[in-house]
Amino acid sequence: MRADIRIAWILARGSERREGWRILLTALGALAATGFALAAVAIAAIPGQVSIPYGHGLLDQPGQRAGVVFTLVLLLLPVLGFLGQCARIGAVHRHRRMAGMRLSGATPAQVRRIAAVESAFPSLPGSVAGVAAFAVLLAATGHAPPPAAWAGFAAVVLAVPVAAALVSVFALRHVVASPLDQVRRTAPDPGRRALFGFLLGAVLVSAAGMLVILPTGIRAAAFPLLVLALVFVTGAGAIWAAGASASFLGRRLTLRARHPAVLIAAGRLAHDPWAAARTHAALLLVTVVGVGFVGVRAVLLADLHAKDDLAMDLGFYTTGIGVAGSAVLVALSISLCGLAVGTAESLATRRRGLAVQAAAGVPHTVLARAALLETALPLAPALLLAGVGGTVVYLMYAAFVGAGTVPLLPLLVPVAVYAACLLAAATSLPLLRRATHPAELRFT
């Protein structure tokens, strides 16, 4: 392992200029992860009941602070997904190096480890910059954390690069480099994933049945667990739907497509249908949470205004709702960045094939439409399922609190997310012109 780390460091130091985007994006992802983790440690280190002049008393009670810490920890999930996308770009972009290492006797596992560790090195400057900015913020606010918090800050600085390396290993587990300058991905077993989803669905149905027969007090305590299980199972089902629909549409459209852009996109989906599931995983989970949150927010605000209690501090509740909504928007933004990075990675991986198609006379507009269709086709059914899951979540909450009206605004969330995904995918189109440059033909 020590030799792998030494080789990864040499490769990181000798990175080409065109790899600057990968290094910069990895550092930014590490900076975001460090910021969320440091904020969680700082809030968790506050002892007992205090009076903090921020957020209408949202951070005064230990139980309320625990909810804020849990939200910050959840924000690490889309950030880690973003780092995984950056790791995939780095591995495939350096495929000639990987082939050279395979010719030198390195095993596929060694190549993946070296690529993962190389992706972790840019995370260290990002984590250091994050803790430096956080220290300046603490000094500006006059807050002095206890020594245990500073120990937690140091642990975060070291843990973020390690987490980036582990995420990279997980992201590259299906990447195989051959000694003949080829990089491919082994296909995961969709049947195993489907079986896992069905088992989770059975557990969820059993939990729902238990909630019906349990007493009211226990039912209220177990309701959040049911919501979390429903969000997780729906997100997993949406991810599976993205890969399954990509496989189905790729096979069907390859046989029946009449437009060249559709034919090219269908061929790509049929070749690697689970690429969509890998790219859209965090985005689909955030969509389920977003639809459920918008519905729960509308029901909760309507219930608060209906009570009209003068002793109730509405600012406390609206601040908490605003913090949760901001967390959802931040997670969605990070997931959209991951989608843009994944689309760019796909174009960079296929740049030689795209250059051949352009040299054969395929117009640039056709290739651009095909790149957008690769995102649009499998994402539509997956977002539909994610929207259904989020709708079930807030309908359950409305039935639980006895709300008189059910909001319809959350139904527009999947539509808005779908449009945002297409815009995020379109940001990678400038790379398409570079990928189809005739100079790429030299490497075929």
Side-chain angles (χ1 to χ4, degrees):
M1 186 62 186
R2 185 178 301 177
D4 296 340
I5 296 176
R6 186 182 301 112
I7 294 174
W9 171 247
I10 295 175
L11 293 178
R13 292 180 57 187
S15 299
E16 300 177 1
R17 182 181 301 177
R18 60 183 180 179
E19 296 181 17
W21 282 108
R22 174 186 62 83
I23 297 175
L24 177 61
L25 290 173
T26 303
L28 289 177
L31 177 63
T34 304
F36 294 143
L38 291 177
V41 171
I43 295 175
I46 300 176
Q49 181 176 352
V50 295
S51 178
I52 299 178
Y54 302 105
H56 289 273
L58 186 64
L59 301 177
D60 292 349
Q61 301 292 333
Q64 299 160 5
R65 291 196 298 270
V68 176
V69 171
F70 181 69
T71 302
L72 291 171
V73 172
L74 288 180
L75 285 176
L76 293 175
L77 297 179
V79 177
L80 294 177
F82 178 78
L83 291 175
Q85 294 289 352
C86 296
R88 293 190 186 102
I89 284 184
V92 177
H93 189 67
R94 301 186 303 273
H95 65 280
R96 288 187 297 275
R97 294 184 192 172
M98 298 168 70
M101 287 187 286
R102 293 284 284 117
L103 284 172
S104 301
T107 63
Q110 285 181 295
V111 171
R112 286 193 291 266
R113 286 198 302 268
I114 292 172
V117 175
E118 186 180 356
S119 300
F121 280 122
S123 302
L124 185 60
S127 61
V128 172
V131 73
F134 195 76
V136 172
L137 179 61
L138 291 177
T141 57
H143 178 65
W150 287 106
F153 296 160
V156 167
V157 175
L158 298 177
V160 168
V162 174
L166 294 177
V167 169
S168 300
V169 170
F170 180 78
L172 300 175
R173 68 192 186 282
H174 296 300
V175 175
V176 178
S178 72
L180 300 178
D181 194 16
Q182 293 180 350
V183 173
R184 62 184 178 89
R185 287 193 175 97
T186 59
D189 184 8
R192 186 178 302 174
R193 294 185 176 184
L195 179 60
F196 182 66
F198 288 140
L199 291 177
L200 287 178
V203 172
L204 179 63
V205 172
S206 302
M210 292 293 293
L211 287 179
V212 174
I213 62 177
L214 286 175
T216 304
I218 301 178
R219 190 186 310 173
F223 181 77
L225 298 178
L226 176 61
V227 172
L228 289 177
L230 182 61
V231 169
F232 177 77
V233 171
T234 307
I239 295 170
W240 180 84
S245 61
S247 177
F248 175 77
L249 292 174
R251 294 194 306 268
R252 300 292 293 179
L253 293 178
T254 301
L255 300 175
R256 299 188 177 185
R258 297 184 179 181
H259 194 277
V262 178
L263 183 61
I264 294 174
R268 169 61 179 166
L269 293 177
H271 175 69
D272 189 5
W274 292 100
R278 291 191 299 265
T279 305
H280 305 153
L283 182 66
L284 294 173
L285 187 59
V286 172
T287 302
V288 177
V289 176
V291 174
F293 169 77
V294 173
V296 171
R297 175 184 178 275
V299 173
L300 180 59
L301 290 178
D303 183 60
L304 291 176
H305 289 296
K307 291 181 179 179
D308 195 16
D309 189 353
L310 296 178
M312 182 184 300
D313 185 10
L314 289 179
F316 172 80
Y317 293 97
T318 55
T319 301
I321 294 173
V323 170
S326 300
V328 174
L329 289 177
V330 170
L332 179 61
S333 302
I334 296 173
S335 301
L336 290 174
C337 292
L339 174 62
V341 171
T343 307
E345 182 259 350
S346 177
L347 295 178
T349 303
R350 297 178 291 123
R351 64 186 186 275
R352 292 179 291 180
L354 292 172
V356 171
Q357 291 175 335
V362 180
H364 177 80
T365 56
V366 172
L367 295 177
R369 291 172 186 170
L372 292 178
L373 286 174
E374 291 173 18
T375 299
L377 290 176
L379 192 59
L383 280 178
L384 178 61
L385 182 57
V388 171
T391 303
V392 172
V393 168
Y394 82 80
L395 288 179
M396 289 175 53
Y397 177 78
F400 185 77
V401 300
T405 59
V406 177
L408 299 179
L409 181 62
L411 300 179
L412 298 178
V413 173
V415 179
V417 172
Y418 189 70
C421 291
L422 295 182
L423 292 176
T427 58
S428 64
L429 293 182
L431 181 64
L432 179 62
R433 192 168 296 278
R434 179 179 177 182
T436 57
H437 195 274
E440 299 293 340
L441 295 173
R442 294 179 300 177
F443 304 110
T444 58

